Amino acid sequence: MEKSLVEIAEYLGGEIVGDGGMVIRGFAGIQEAKSGDLTFLSNPKYVSLLGETQASAILVSSKEKIQTDKTIVRVDNPSLAFSRVLSLFVEKSPETFAGIHPTAVISEAARISDNVTVGPHAVIESGVKIGEGSSIGAGVFIGFGTCIGENCLIYPNVTIRERNIIGNRVIIHSGTVIGSDGFGYVTEQGIHEKIPQIGIVEIQDDVEIGANVAVDRARFDKTFIGRGTKIDNLVQIAHNVRIGKNCIIVSQVGISGSTTIEDYVVLGGQVGVAGHLTIGAGTMVAAKSGIPSSVPPRSILFGSPAQPHMQAKRMSAALIKLPEYIHVIRKLEKKVEELERKIAGK
Amino acid sequence: MEKSLVEIAEYLGGEIVGDGGMVIRGFAGIQEAKSGDLTFLSNPKYVSLLGETQASAILVSSKEKIQTDKTIVRVDNPSLAFSRVLSLFVEKSPETFAGIHPTAVISEAARISDNVTVGPHAVIESGVKIGEGSSIGAGVFIGFGTCIGENCLIYPNVTIRERNIIGNRVIIHSGTVIGSDGFGYVTEQGIHEKIPQIGIVEIQDDVEIGANVAVDRARFDKTFIGRGTKIDNLVQIAHNVRIGKNCIIVSQVGISGSTTIEDYVVLGGQVGVAGHLTIGAGTMVAAKSGIPSSVPPRSILFGSPAQPHMQAKRMSAALIKLPEYIHVIRKLEKKVEELERKIAGK
Amino acid sequence: MEKSLVEIAEYLGGEIVGDGGMVIRGFAGIQEAKSGDLTFLSNPKYVSLLGETQASAILVSSKEKIQTDKTIVRVDNPSLAFSRVLSLFVEKSPETFAGIHPTAVISEAARISDNVTVGPHAVIESGVKIGEGSSIGAGVFIGFGTCIGENCLIYPNVTIRERNIIGNRVIIHSGTVIGSDGFGYVTEQGIHEKIPQIGIVEIQDDVEIGANVAVDRARFDKTFIGRGTKIDNLVQIAHNVRIGKNCIIVSQVGISGSTTIEDYVVLGGQVGVAGHLTIGAGTMVAAKSGIPSSVPPRSILFGSPAQPHMQAKRMSAALIKLPEYIHVIRKLEKKVEELERKIAGK
């Protein structure tokens, strides 16, 4: 696929400086770009890279007075603009299953709005509602009574169990399971008796959930994911977890039952959060950390068990030097012994 | 859904004290409960919460002499009773695919017992046996020769490969894969040659396995999960692992090949266990721990590499104070030097 | 299934020493083997086990002069030979869906070569190419434009999104997702705007990928997995990751975006690798390690944050003794104080 630079600049509302008569065929970071590529300069401190890049055109901020003999396009926010122009290049299937594929099994008691696509072999049970413009991939299962909003994108082989509520513009990637039973048992004479999980999952507007994620339904009440939160692949969200708005949950994170993650929290990859905690708004947690107790808003955490960032750094630095300090301690022991002998000997 | 308190008390064999003429519409913990909710008092030391709860009725132990003006129901085990009454409220699909859905592809050489449900687009190969009362969800694949017992619940989009053995009342949640090949290669001149994985997986009665779990088949012989063991989401069980009875394996745990987990072991979330070990019966391992070597029965472990709990606690406490102790060591060094000078100077 | 030892020795090109008139019915390690089993001696230093094993026959190296009254088969490489004879015993389905199952939904604009098997309810979109001898399992989804080479084995319920490139003899296990969107957003006034992920995934020849793995497509360009690399279950491969040839990636590893893993790297279970790094060829990383920065070729790493192996061992040993050294420091403090007093008192 290719588009002229003029067409791209128009789409972005940007201003071309230099030769606009070229055609863009690809995209890359400023250092990897080749001839024919569009790239962008996100940070003016890297302006020297403009001289070196092989890109045919560069998106730059209109706030900076940048001088270059390269072709540039001035825009408000180069990184956002770059992302938007990428979306122009997303290839649509030359032949997609628009409408309802005849092999899909859809209950007569389901309510499917206009302009909904349902792929081959999808299964939609009774009482399900699907809003306008949503797309349900091949092999997706949607259990009875689940409601899905408008313009959602449910990729192939997703499983959404019964009675869940999913907002508008929600994206769920393949292999993900929404509404599996929470993990709860009462142990009676050594036997683990299952606690029925009769709650639901509610996912608000503009949430994106990666591939092979598991979001358990609540024991009662609901497991909740707030508006605009983004969840990466292979994440575990246990029963009755509440996640606020616009959080970023990186791959392989595990959040234990009944924990609350407030708005704008960022959890790095493979982080584990224990159950029944509150992680204050705006908290950032480094990859692989383990969080055993609640933390106030805007905490910056690191390690397992997680510590405030600066303390963890000091601990980490001290730990690396520990073998040599143990050496020092042993020498001190000997010297003190000798001093004691000398003084006693007087 | 709603039920009268009288009906609930009868179901539990409990005794109502107070006004029984009410209707229960929901459930919650004792502190979150609202009017219309049923709750329970699991531990008599929280008896003061009875005064504060908004719940309309509370399940309490018949062993305690509890005085309150709230409506209570005396039962043997309040937490177990609460769990059982929840199951009364599980909504059944108003229209489920009872029987065999016509879109399911079932080999004529499979043996499906009475009262088995097979959902749309399920695939059942030859030689498969499915016991009475079991339910196979939409999109499930069951490979040739696999045997599934009675009253099992296999949720949509589960994959069970060939020749595995699954007991009675086993529950497997969506996205889970049973019997994938173990991860084994012989490296010959830099090339990893695949070792055929010709063993099976055997899962005993009353096991529950969460969503998006992977249980590999054995290289030869079998990977084994004992009766009553419960496994959470996104867990990895490698080839030839043997898990005993009534274990609890929390989400995102990984158990490496040929390791034996004895009865009643509890592994916290994200724990990793190395290969070819034996984890003694009744051992409890804190979340995120890594276990590099075998441990005796009833160990309590913590950390990575895992240490006995008390030692790990002391280490952790010492580690937090390490930067300040390094400061102390430096001061001691100077003081000792000064003392040495003074003594030498005499 | 059973085979005569003569038949097995012929298949391996090995030489029988002892009674060859027996039938082999099973396989086991040398210590677990029972009568009727074949086993192997991989390392001559365990030659004393030959006396104790219950196995009916043992594969041994033809390089060693082994004396025993047991029946042995001399072969070049006993462990490789054992693996090869196992493959003789792999049971084929008595009735498999050879050819294209009538319930598969295949675009007329897909190109399916000869001798391809497509299982029930598989979905193959337009522009897909599948090479000779490949097998596509039940419920598999293959998005438009994806190319799959010859003799690939795609297990049931795998999802391969659009426009990916997969080589020859690639094996992908159930539940795995190839080509899901990379996890990338531009945050603009507190809102995370999705960055379109218009790249692809390329997987070279002889790669094997376990169950419930997620391999994200690139933002642009491609996510790449080199020839002969083997990936275990539940692994996360983020967008724009490049993995070299013949790597071993154990279960539950997470590799963050744009990181390069060079040839012959081994990552232990649950390892996490941060983004934009280069892990040098031949590096070996112990299970559960976290890698925050690039490392040179042939590094041996351990811990989180990962350290060179020997340093990590020293640190770990020092850490275990830390509580007792803190005790020593306190005693030294007191003694030095006393010495100071004594000297001042003079």
Side-chain angles (χ1 to χ4, degrees):
Chain A
M1 202 190 289
E2 52 183 55
K3 289 190 189 294
S4 75
L5 191 60
V6 170
E7 189 180 356
I8 290 171
E10 255 173 35
Y11 172 73
L12 295 173
E15 177 205 356
I16 298 177
V17 180
D19 168 24
M22 69 179 64
V23 153
I24 296 299
R25 283 185 220 90
F27 303 89
I30 195 157
Q31 292 179 291
E32 300 84 33
K34 306 177 302 289
S35 173
D37 285 350
L38 179 72
T39 190
F40 68 107
L41 184 71
S42 57
N43 190 327
K45 82 175 175 195
Y46 297 125
V47 68
S48 67
L49 293 174
L50 279 186
E52 300 165 24
T53 185
Q54 304 294 314
S56 293
I58 308 110
L59 304 178
V60 300
S61 169
S62 48
K63 290 163 210 147
E64 317 291 328
K65 289 272 163 267
I66 284 166
Q67 300 299 332
T68 175
D69 52 358
K70 298 284 169 67
T71 298
I72 59 175
V73 184
R74 296 186 195 275
V75 294
D76 279 353
N77 180 332
S79 124
L80 183 59
F82 187 70
S83 164
R84 285 180 175 158
V85 70
L86 282 181
S87 66
L88 275 181
F89 279 74
V90 174
E91 273 185 67
K92 296 286 177 236
S93 165
E95 166 238 26
T96 39
F97 304 108
I100 312 291
H101 196 273
T103 61
V105 171
I106 302 182
S107 163
E108 289 186 11
R111 244 168 58 200
I112 313 290
S113 302
D114 291 346
N115 297 317
V116 166
T117 295
V118 181
H121 304 312
V123 174
I124 298 179
E125 291 195 332
S126 72
V128 168
K129 291 180 199 160
I130 299 180
E132 232 178 296
S134 285
S135 168
I136 309 299
V140 168
F141 172 85
I142 304 181
F144 68 90
T146 282
C147 292
I148 293 181
E150 298 177 0
N151 298 306
C152 289
L153 195 39
I154 313 297
Y155 278 99
N157 290 332
V158 162
T159 303
I160 305 179
R161 293 246 320 255
E162 70 277 8
R163 293 189 299 109
N164 300 303
I165 299 170
I166 293 176
N168 301 312
R169 297 173 304 279
V170 169
I171 301 174
I172 303 179
H173 289 278
S174 294
T176 283
V177 178
I178 307 291
S180 39
D181 287 359
F183 190 66
Y185 303 89
V186 176
T187 302
E188 186 69 358
Q189 297 175 329
I191 302 300
H192 307 305
E193 283 233 24
K194 184 174 174 66
I195 299 174
Q197 305 288 314
I198 67 172
I200 67 162
V201 176
E202 180 177 339
I203 297 173
Q204 288 199 319
D205 293 352
D206 299 305
V207 166
E208 180 164 6
I209 300 182
N212 283 338
V213 167
V215 183
D216 278 353
R217 65 195 313 110
R219 180 172 172 180
F220 31 81
D221 201 1
K222 60 190 169 196
T223 304
F224 181 86
I225 301 177
R227 176 191 294 251
T229 283
K230 311 297 183 183
I231 297 175
D232 202 352
N233 302 331
L234 290 161
V235 167
Q236 152 75 353
I237 313 275
H239 62 98
N240 294 84
V241 163
R242 294 189 67 85
I243 301 180
K245 292 187 174 48
N246 299 312
C247 292
I248 295 281
I249 315 284
V250 179
S251 179
Q252 295 178 320
V253 163
I255 306 176
S256 306
S258 300
T259 277
T260 296
I261 309 284
E262 294 183 349
D263 298 349
Y264 286 105
V265 168
V266 177
L267 302 181
Q270 300 183 335
V271 162
V273 185
H276 297 273
L277 308 184
T278 297
I279 306 302
T283 290
M284 300 181 71
V285 184
K288 265 199 176 293
S289 300
I291 308 191
S293 48
S294 293
V295 298
R298 284 174 301 284
S299 300
I300 299 181
L301 300 171
F302 188 92
S304 180
Q307 310 274 332
H309 185 61
M310 288 313 297
Q311 185 177 332
K313 262 185 126 166
R314 270 196 306 270
M315 260 175 54
S316 196
L319 187 56
I320 285 173
K321 290 184 189 152
L322 182 57
E324 106 194 31
Y325 275 107
I326 282 180
H327 197 67
V328 171
I329 294 170
R330 283 183 179 149
K331 274 205 325 221
L332 281 172
E333 267 187 298
K334 277 184 203 151
K335 284 181 174 181
V336 167
E337 227 170 83
E338 213 178 295
L339 285 169
E340 283 175 325
R341 255 199 320 268
K342 280 186 181 167
I343 290 199
K346 293 216 167 154
Chain B
M1 202 189 290
E2 51 183 54
K3 289 189 189 295
S4 75
L5 191 61
V6 169
E7 189 179 357
I8 289 170
E10 255 174 34
Y11 173 72
L12 295 173
E15 176 205 357
I16 299 176
V17 180
D19 169 24
M22 70 180 62
V23 153
I24 295 301
R25 281 186 222 89
F27 303 89
I30 195 158
Q31 292 179 293
E32 301 84 32
K34 307 178 302 289
S35 173
D37 284 351
L38 180 71
T39 190
F40 67 108
L41 183 72
S42 58
N43 190 328
K45 84 175 176 196
Y46 297 126
V47 68
S48 67
L49 292 173
L50 280 187
E52 299 165 25
T53 185
Q54 303 295 313
S56 293
I58 307 111
L59 303 178
V60 300
S61 169
S62 48
K63 291 165 211 145
E64 316 291 328
K65 289 269 162 269
I66 284 165
Q67 300 299 333
T68 174
D69 53 357
K70 297 285 168 66
T71 297
I72 59 176
V73 182
R74 296 187 195 276
V75 294
D76 278 352
N77 180 331
S79 125
L80 182 60
F82 187 69
S83 164
R84 286 180 174 157
V85 69
L86 283 180
S87 67
L88 276 181
F89 280 74
V90 174
E91 273 184 68
K92 295 287 176 236
S93 165
E95 166 237 25
T96 39
F97 304 109
I100 312 291
H101 195 274
T103 62
V105 172
I106 303 181
S107 163
E108 289 187 10
R111 243 167 61 199
I112 313 292
S113 302
D114 291 347
N115 297 316
V116 166
T117 295
V118 180
H121 304 313
V123 175
I124 298 178
E125 291 195 332
S126 72
V128 169
K129 290 179 199 161
I130 299 180
E132 231 178 296
S134 284
S135 169
I136 309 298
V140 167
F141 173 85
I142 304 180
F144 68 89
T146 283
C147 292
I148 295 182
E150 298 177 0
N151 297 306
C152 290
L153 195 40
I154 313 297
Y155 278 99
N157 290 331
V158 163
T159 303
I160 305 178
R161 293 247 319 257
E162 69 279 6
R163 295 188 295 111
N164 300 303
I165 298 170
I166 293 176
N168 301 311
R169 297 173 304 279
V170 169
I171 301 174
I172 303 179
H173 288 278
S174 294
T176 284
V177 178
I178 306 291
S180 38
D181 287 358
F183 191 65
Y185 304 90
V186 176
T187 302
E188 187 69 357
Q189 297 176 329
I191 303 299
H192 308 305
E193 283 232 25
K194 182 175 174 67
I195 299 174
Q197 304 288 315
I198 67 171
I200 66 163
V201 175
E202 179 177 340
I203 298 174
Q204 289 200 318
D205 294 352
D206 299 305
V207 165
E208 181 163 5
I209 299 181
N212 284 337
V213 167
V215 183
D216 278 353
R217 64 195 314 110
R219 179 172 173 181
F220 30 81
D221 200 3
K222 59 189 170 195
T223 304
F224 181 87
I225 303 177
R227 176 191 293 252
T229 281
K230 311 296 183 182
I231 296 175
D232 201 352
N233 302 332
L234 290 160
V235 166
Q236 153 75 353
I237 314 275
H239 62 97
N240 294 84
V241 163
R242 293 188 67 86
I243 301 181
K245 293 186 172 50
N246 298 312
C247 292
I248 295 281
I249 314 283
V250 179
S251 180
Q252 295 178 322
V253 163
I255 305 176
S256 305
S258 300
T259 278
T260 296
I261 309 284
E262 295 184 347
D263 299 348
Y264 286 104
V265 167
V266 177
L267 302 180
Q270 300 183 336
V271 162
V273 186
H276 297 272
L277 308 184
T278 296
I279 307 303
T283 289
M284 301 182 70
V285 184
K288 265 197 177 294
S289 300
I291 309 192
S293 49
S294 293
V295 297
R298 283 173 301 285
S299 300
I300 300 182
L301 300 171
F302 188 91
S304 180
Q307 309 276 332
H309 185 60
M310 288 313 296
Q311 184 176 333
K313 263 184 125 165
R314 272 197 305 270
M315 261 174 55
S316 195
L319 187 56
I320 285 173
K321 290 183 187 154
L322 182 58
E324 105 195 30
Y325 276 106
I326 283 180
H327 196 67
V328 171
I329 294 169
R330 284 184 178 148
K331 275 206 324 219
L332 282 172
E333 266 187 299
K334 277 186 203 149
K335 284 180 174 183
V336 167
E337 228 169 83
E338 212 179 296
L339 286 168
E340 283 174 324
R341 253 198 322 268
K342 280 185 181 169
I343 290 198
K346 292 219 165 153
Chain C
M1 202 189 289
E2 51 182 54
K3 289 190 190 294
S4 74
L5 191 60
V6 169
E7 190 180 355
I8 289 170
E10 256 173 33
Y11 173 73
L12 295 172
E15 176 206 356
I16 299 177
V17 180
D19 168 24
M22 70 178 64
V23 153
I24 296 300
R25 282 185 221 88
F27 302 89
I30 194 157
Q31 293 178 291
E32 301 83 34
K34 305 178 302 289
S35 173
D37 284 351
L38 180 72
T39 190
F40 68 108
L41 183 71
S42 57
N43 190 328
K45 84 174 174 195
Y46 298 125
V47 67
S48 67
L49 292 174
L50 279 186
E52 301 165 23
T53 186
Q54 304 295 313
S56 294
I58 308 112
L59 305 178
V60 301
S61 171
S62 48
K63 290 164 212 145
E64 316 291 328
K65 290 269 164 269
I66 284 167
Q67 299 299 333
T68 174
D69 53 358
K70 297 285 167 68
T71 297
I72 59 175
V73 184
R74 295 187 196 276
V75 294
D76 278 354
N77 180 330
S79 123
L80 184 59
F82 187 69
S83 164
R84 284 180 175 157
V85 69
L86 282 180
S87 67
L88 276 182
F89 280 73
V90 174
E91 274 183 68
K92 294 287 175 238
S93 165
E95 166 237 27
T96 40
F97 305 108
I100 313 291
H101 196 273
T103 61
V105 172
I106 302 181
S107 164
E108 289 185 12
R111 244 168 58 199
I112 313 291
S113 301
D114 291 346
N115 297 317
V116 166
T117 295
V118 180
H121 304 313
V123 175
I124 297 179
E125 291 195 333
S126 72
V128 169
K129 290 179 200 162
I130 299 179
E132 233 179 295
S134 284
S135 168
I136 309 299
V140 167
F141 173 85
I142 304 180
F144 68 91
T146 283
C147 292
I148 295 181
E150 299 176 359
N151 297 307
C152 290
L153 195 39
I154 313 296
Y155 278 99
N157 290 331
V158 162
T159 303
I160 304 177
R161 292 246 321 254
E162 69 277 9
R163 294 189 297 109
N164 300 303
I165 299 170
I166 294 176
N168 301 312
R169 297 173 304 280
V170 170
I171 301 174
I172 304 180
H173 288 278
S174 295
T176 283
V177 178
I178 307 290
S180 39
D181 287 359
F183 191 65
Y185 304 89
V186 176
T187 302
E188 187 69 357
Q189 296 175 330
I191 303 298
H192 308 304
E193 283 232 24
K194 182 173 174 68
I195 299 174
Q197 303 289 314
I198 68 171
I200 67 161
V201 176
E202 180 178 339
I203 297 173
Q204 288 200 318
D205 294 352
D206 300 305
V207 166
E208 180 164 5
I209 300 182
N212 284 336
V213 167
V215 182
D216 278 352
R217 65 196 313 111
R219 180 174 172 178
F220 31 81
D221 201 1
K222 60 190 169 195
T223 304
F224 181 87
I225 302 177
R227 175 192 295 251
T229 281
K230 311 296 182 183
I231 297 176
D232 200 353
N233 302 331
L234 290 160
V235 166
Q236 152 75 352
I237 313 275
H239 62 98
N240 294 85
V241 164
R242 293 189 69 84
I243 302 181
K245 293 185 172 51
N246 299 312
C247 293
I248 296 281
I249 315 283
V250 180
S251 179
Q252 295 179 321
V253 162
I255 305 175
S256 306
S258 300
T259 278
T260 296
I261 309 284
E262 294 184 349
D263 299 348
Y264 285 103
V265 168
V266 177
L267 302 180
Q270 300 184 337
V271 161
V273 186
H276 298 271
L277 308 184
T278 297
I279 307 303
T283 290
M284 299 181 71
V285 184
K288 265 198 176 294
S289 299
I291 307 190
S293 49
S294 293
V295 298
R298 284 172 300 285
S299 301
I300 299 182
L301 300 171
F302 188 92
S304 181
Q307 310 275 332
H309 185 62
M310 288 313 297
Q311 185 176 332
K313 262 184 125 165
R314 271 197 305 272
M315 260 175 54
S316 197
L319 188 56
I320 284 173
K321 291 184 186 154
L322 182 57
E324 104 195 34
Y325 276 107
I326 282 180
H327 197 68
V328 170
I329 295 170
R330 283 186 179 148
K331 275 206 323 221
L332 281 171
E333 265 186 300
K334 277 187 202 147
K335 284 179 174 184
V336 167
E337 227 170 83
E338 213 179 294
L339 286 168
E340 283 174 325
R341 255 201 318 268
K342 280 185 182 168
I343 290 199
K346 290 216 166 154

